Amino acid sequence: LSRRLFMGTVAAAAIAGLTPAFAADPIKLRISTPAVEADWHAKMLPVFKEELEKAAPGQFDVEIHLNGTLFKQGTEPAAMQRGNLEMAMISAFDIAKQIPEWSIFTAGYLLRDPEHQTKVFESDIGKEMYGLVEDKMKIKILSVGYLGTRQLNLRTEKEIKTPADLSGVKLRMPGSDTWLFLGKALGANPLPVAFGEIYTALQTGAIDGQDNPLPTVRAAKFYEVTKQVALTDHLVDAIFLSLAGSTWSKLDDKQKAAVMNAAKAAVRFNNENRIKEEAQLADFFKSQGLKVYKPDVEAFRQQVQKAYLESDLSKSWPKGMVDRVNAIK
Ligand code: KDO
């Protein structure tokens, strides 16, 4: 009977003018992110969708949910692990909550620039660290994207030259221990606030400032409610375009390759555009009336690196990993 039913489905598909392979429901891939529409990691998602459609027509149904409307910032990994979400762009900070070894990539002044970041994750280090995420979190990292280099962006007037100048400054950080650690290591008084609430918190003075890469300061319009940017370059930040393991394991080899290639194309689009824009934004913010300047970056580097190396976080880093990361040229 089941065989006859199956034949019936094929016949129905044939009548509808479809081949059986296309008659199957497309695999739904919902992507949830707090990113705003104007930011490059949001703009790269239609690229992912288009590339995937080209490589595997009709086989996937990609839905893009921005502004944290589907899942709140930081809740995406758990949602993927429970089978409630197929895709997200997660951070090293999200991963470090479940895999302490990963806190190495939350450390300020470790990765040197976007090129170093890409090379590190394309090396054996990437293989090992992605493997941990696959084994322990059942999440498949498809590709790493450059989120930009994080800078201090404050609504206050006083220039920040050294970590001591941040003493008592209410610096918004995303809400997790490793993020707050970074804020503290910089010398500030860190306060957890969700990304979507930063603008209002700056406007009302609930916080004195926030840290994000310049393209995000532009895209989320934080420059409208702040007075200065101190170019501390404290974190070469990454986002990892990821798929729930339960979804990944349902794909055949061709589909897996199509998803991987689409992810790489999307990330390439993000990286190229973001790097280009990042280099031009100091002038744009100056034209908007903000002060943009270099503080004593060495003073920040020394204080931040010391804080990490002396912390409990660094005790969980894989042996020799700092040296291996530094050795990648
Ligand atoms: C932020 O909340 O500051 C942050 O930059 C943290 C990142 O990990 C990432 O979640 C990002 O926000 C969002 O994608 C919004 O750009």
Side-chain angles (χ1 to χ4, degrees):
L1 176 69
S2 66
R3 191 176 163 78
R4 242 193 281 147
L5 269 180
F6 173 66
M7 293 300 284
T9 312
V10 173
I15 290 164
L18 302 166
T19 61
F22 283 61
D25 281 343
I27 298 164
K28 190 161 255 199
L29 298 180
R30 290 166 308 153
I31 311 175
S32 179
T33 173
V36 294
E37 197 178 354
D39 213 338
W40 294 107
H41 57 312
K43 289 190 188 168
M44 80 178 193
L45 297 175
V47 175
F48 173 77
K49 186 180 162 98
E50 281 157 29
E51 289 296 318
L52 190 54
E53 185 57 29
K54 259 194 254 162
Q59 295 177 45
F60 292 94
D61 174 13
V62 177
E63 259 182 28
I64 301 164
H65 298 268
L66 305 178
N67 302 309
T69 45
L70 189 60
F71 285 95
K72 277 197 204 141
Q73 182 179 35
T75 65
E76 304 93 340
M80 287 194 282
Q81 290 170 297
R82 291 201 196 99
N84 294 335
L85 176 67
E86 293 76 36
M87 285 186 75
M89 293 184 276
I90 62 178
S91 70
F93 296 80
D94 293 321
I95 299 170
K97 278 191 210 163
Q98 296 187 46
I99 307 177
E101 287 92 327
W102 261 81
S103 67
I104 188 167
F105 295 121
T106 70
Y109 300 106
L110 176 68
L111 298 179
R112 295 188 296 268
D113 51 46
E115 198 188 342
H116 185 220
Q117 177 183 77
T118 305
K119 283 187 180 165
V120 165
F121 289 106
E122 278 175 357
S123 74
D124 286 345
I125 297 173
K127 257 182 231 132
E128 288 165 35
M129 299 301 273
Y130 288 1
L132 281 179
V133 178
E134 231 170 304
D135 293 347
K136 299 198 172 169
M137 291 174 73
K138 312 288 176 225
I139 286 176
K140 172 78 185 172
I141 293 179
L142 302 172
S143 198
V144 60
Y146 175 55
L147 186 66
T149 299
R150 298 183 83 92
Q151 316 289 2
L152 294 177
N153 171 215
L154 308 177
R155 70 193 292 280
T156 49
E157 302 267 9
K158 193 188 120 193
E159 275 197 25
I160 305 298
K161 300 214 181 69
T162 66
D165 295 326
L166 277 179
S167 168
V169 169
K170 286 182 278 173
L171 182 67
R172 173 274 171 181
M173 299 301 288
S176 80
D177 291 349
T178 43
W179 277 117
L180 297 175
F181 187 94
L182 177 59
K184 210 156 179 209
L186 287 164
N189 177 12
L191 283 180
V193 175
F195 183 80
E197 283 151 31
I198 298 175
Y199 189 97
T200 312
L202 286 170
Q203 207 172 25
T204 60
I207 53 174
D208 297 322
Q210 63 96 28
D211 87 307
N212 253 298
L214 299 185
T216 299
V217 175
R218 193 262 319 154
K221 299 195 166 27
F222 298 148
Y223 65 86
E224 292 178 351
V225 282
T226 51
K227 298 211 171 108
Q228 56 161 315
V229 174
L231 298 166
T232 44
D233 287 341
H234 56 270
L235 183 74
V236 175
D237 206 359
I239 30 160
F240 299 89
L241 186 56
S242 307
L243 198 73
S246 53
T247 309
W248 178 252
S249 60
K250 276 190 224 146
L251 307 183
D252 64 31
D253 287 350
K254 270 192 174 166
Q255 290 172 325
K256 282 181 180 165
V259 166
M260 266 297 185
N261 290 335
K264 288 202 180 112
V267 158
R268 215 177 304 128
F269 171 88
N270 167 78
N271 288 17
E272 282 172 16
N273 285 294
R274 191 182 290 279
I275 290 168
K276 201 159 115 202
E277 192 196 31
E278 197 169 37
Q280 298 161 356
L281 281 173
D283 286 342
F284 170 71
F285 294 136
K286 282 181 196 161
S287 78
Q288 298 298 306
L290 278 79
K291 243 190 290 178
V292 184
Y293 58 94
K294 270 259 170 246
D296 182 349
V297 176
E298 274 321 303
F300 278 100
R301 187 192 313 277
Q302 272 176 27
Q303 160 150 331
V304 169
Q305 287 183 338
K306 185 164 178 281
Y308 278 92
L309 291 175
E310 287 174 355
S311 73
D312 282 346
L313 292 176
S314 67
K315 293 191 183 122
S316 61
W317 298 352
K319 261 215 154 53
M321 191 58 93
V322 171
D323 292 338
R324 285 174 67 197
V325 169
N326 286 337
I328 291 191
K329 296 292 173 221

